[in-house]
Amino acid sequence: MSHLTPWTKRIICLVILLCLATAATPRLFEFNDNTFSLTPEITGTAKTGNNETRILAAIDDIRSGNMADARATVDALLDEQPNYRLAQLLRADLYAMRAMPLETIGGGVASAPGDALDDLRKEALVRIAHRNEDQATANKLPANIVVFAPNQKYAILVDASTSRLYVFANENGKPKRIKDHYVVVGKLGVDKKFEGDQRSPLGVYFVTSHLTRPQLDKTYGALADLYGVGAWPISYPNELDRSQKRTGYGIWLHGSPAATYARAPQASNGCVVLTNEEMLKVSSYLQPGNTPVIVAPQVEWLSESEWLQRQTAALALLSEWKSKWESLDANTYLNFYGAEFRSAEGQTLDAWRNQKTTVNTGKTWTKIQLSDISIFAAGENSTQLVTTFKQDYRSNNLENQMRKRLYWQRSEQGWKIIWEGAAAI
């Protein structure tokens, strides 16, 4: 080809290249050639139910190797709740598991911050633990709800150990479980003692009011989003908290920020937080000024016969206290009071004893009636009782009516009153 001109050589090379390209092109698009066929992904069936039921079903499917259904369920959840971080984590894991097996939840996003992964794993674990526990406690009653007052339609019970909120209805005086939800408590857990300790309080409280989202927007501006659909303040610090010098304020039941479907089990500054959807459901059972909110370190579950025994014993205790007061026998009456007792006015046990002994010297008879009684239990293993009632007191030289509250503490010496006074709410 030495006699050919440079342009002729270029044209011949171009023709050869075009011929080769033409021959190769059909090979790339021969779909019937097994060398280039792709295996289609199996289409799964999404589980139905509420969001928690579905997230747990997805975890079950992953554990059992049913990845197609797990993917379908997670995808459906995220279509509805795109900010559901636990579902986002499972989706990342499902993609990662196409290439390699994973040993733990979140193994597919190893580059994510460790704290964030730990929080999501904790959320998954407490949801799983609740499901397992729920099967064992479904037919049991909570020791924390002892006696409903007649006008109390519902009670809220928070189990801090399982991040669970229960709604109980007053069914002819007996607590009937009607709803339960995953909740978030304080970043540093429970047993609040002072302002800013990032703990949720333990005890018996009452819903005091309802702060709507428009009210929150007006008061807090952009920060109102922290409370989601609204807030329902509770009565922390209660009478006993104040007598024990516990501080803090602004403890609410409230919803979640718009960008976050659910948070870690311990992520609030002390409030009890639900998803917005579930907060709205719970709100229909809240009566400001009336609905108790009991926050327990761990709920004690009882059989019906055990629960009835507890109720009978608590009512008998209150009745015996009233009877000894009516008897004008100061010594036996004062045996109901503990060494750490404080009255609403701040009196110690010695000051209380002196006052009652002096008052009784001027009495010839006393008659006391108690009505609208409620009794709720708090503390580890239900070691605190909170009794509230309308008291109608009559004697030969005095008559008065009040709504009273007694806080009792169980000790080696039995049940002792540690605070007495007018009920704040």
Side-chain angles (χ1 to χ4, degrees):
M1 296 176 60
S2 59
H3 63 282
L4 298 178
T5 66
W7 277 109
T8 303
K9 292 178 181 179
R10 292 190 183 106
I11 292 170
I12 292 171
C13 290
L14 180 60
V15 170
I16 293 170
L17 287 171
L18 288 173
C19 290
L20 290 174
T22 304
T25 300
R27 174 78 177 168
L28 292 175
F29 296 97
E30 289 175 0
F31 289 164
N32 60 347
D33 188 332
N34 292 332
T35 305
F36 296 95
S37 65
L38 298 175
T39 302
E41 186 176 274
I42 299 172
T43 301
T45 302
K47 299 296 192 296
T48 59
N50 63 37
N51 292 346
E52 183 171 57
T53 298
R54 290 189 288 169
I55 201 73
L56 292 176
I59 293 172
D60 289 342
D61 282 336
I62 293 171
R63 286 174 166 176
S64 64
N66 188 1
M67 303 305 178
D69 285 357
R71 282 192 295 270
T73 300
V74 168
D75 287 346
L77 266 174
L78 288 173
D79 284 344
E80 298 172 23
Q81 301 291 346
N83 295 322
Y84 196 169
R85 292 176 181 173
L86 182 54
Q88 292 171 350
L89 184 69
L90 293 183
R91 174 183 273 178
D93 281 352
L94 284 163
Y95 277 106
M97 280 187 281
R98 293 174 174 176
M100 60 182 179
L102 301 179
E103 295 181 357
T104 184
I105 292 175
V109 285
S111 61
D115 290 347
L117 281 180
D118 286 344
D119 285 345
L120 291 170
R121 288 175 184 137
K122 288 174 184 176
E123 179 186 343
L125 289 173
V126 297
R127 290 182 186 275
I128 292 168
H130 163 71
R131 181 180 60 179
N132 296 339
E133 181 191 64
D134 195 46
Q135 296 171 355
T137 62
N139 297 319
K140 293 190 175 183
L141 302 177
N144 305 86
I145 301 175
V146 186
V147 177
F148 276 109
N151 65 337
Q152 287 172 331
K153 296 180 180 179
Y154 304 100
I156 304 299
L157 176 57
V158 177
D159 186 332
S161 69
T162 60
S163 294
R164 208 74 193 174
L165 178 149
Y166 298 88
V167 180
F168 285 91
N170 178 357
E171 189 176 70
N172 299 318
K174 186 186 300 181
K176 178 183 178 181
R177 190 194 307 188
I178 57 174
K179 195 176 291 293
D180 64 88
H181 298 290
Y182 167 82
V183 292
V184 175
V185 296
K187 293 175 184 175
L188 296 181
V190 291
D191 198 15
K192 186 172 187 63
K193 290 184 171 64
F194 55 86
E195 182 180 348
D197 63 5
Q198 296 187 323
R199 294 178 181 271
S200 298
L202 293 175
V204 177
Y205 305 94
F206 294 85
V207 176
T208 61
S209 60
H210 173 206
L211 301 176
T212 65
R213 182 55 191 265
Q215 289 174 307
L216 293 168
D217 287 334
K218 184 176 180 180
T219 304
Y220 298 102
L223 292 177
D225 182 55
L226 292 171
Y227 311 111
V229 293
W232 286 256
I234 63 174
S235 57
Y236 175 87
N238 62 25
E239 301 93 346
L240 182 63
D241 293 326
R242 288 194 291 272
S243 76
Q244 295 177 340
K245 310 302 182 185
R246 295 179 183 244
T247 61
Y249 63 94
I251 302 298
W252 301 346
L253 300 177
H254 67 74
S256 300
T260 305
Y261 173 73
R263 298 162 71 183
Q266 294 183 355
S268 80
N269 288 324
C271 293
V272 177
V273 183
L274 295 89
T275 68
N276 288 321
E277 174 188 9
E278 292 170 334
M279 184 69 254
L280 288 175
K281 290 178 180 178
V282 170
S283 71
S284 63
Y285 302 100
L286 303 179
Q287 298 172 283
N290 197 26
T291 303
V293 177
I294 307 151
V295 186
Q298 185 172 10
V299 172
E300 182 184 7
W301 297 99
L302 305 173
S303 67
E304 184 172 348
S305 61
E306 290 171 331
W307 182 84
L308 287 170
Q309 290 173 5
R310 292 280 184 98
Q311 184 187 65
T312 299
L315 288 169
L317 178 69
L318 188 61
S319 178
E320 188 178 3
W321 167 80
K322 178 185 81 76
S323 177
K324 296 302 183 184
W325 189 9
E326 288 177 322
S327 73
L328 300 178
D329 182 348
N331 288 329
T332 56
Y333 164 71
L334 288 166
N335 282 337
F336 284 94
Y337 293 81
E340 66 271 40
F341 170 79
R342 291 292 184 276
S343 72
E345 295 76 23
Q347 292 171 295
T348 63
L349 180 59
D350 287 341
W352 187 256
R353 178 182 290 108
N354 291 336
Q355 177 191 334
K356 293 300 180 182
T357 301
T358 300
V359 166
N360 280 356
T361 60
K363 304 289 184 185
T364 58
W365 63 270
T366 298
K367 185 66 178 175
I368 303 162
Q369 289 186 338
L370 308 182
S371 60
D372 291 345
I373 297 169
S374 71
I375 304 177
F376 302 104
E380 195 74 40
N381 298 318
S382 309
T383 51
Q384 184 186 104
L385 285 180
V386 182
T387 58
T388 308
F389 46 86
K390 289 182 180 178
Q391 176 182 286
D392 187 348
Y393 176 95
R394 300 176 188 275
S395 70
N396 57 293
N397 58 8
L398 179 66
E399 293 185 7
N400 69 27
Q401 294 79 39
M402 67 182 299
R403 188 164 179 266
K404 181 177 275 190
R405 182 164 292 145
L406 306 177
Y407 288 84
W408 304 70
Q409 190 70 39
R410 190 171 67 207
S411 67
E412 293 180 357
Q413 292 75 40
W415 287 101
K416 300 294 182 181
I417 298 169
I418 57 174
W419 190 91
E420 177 175 335
I425 186 173

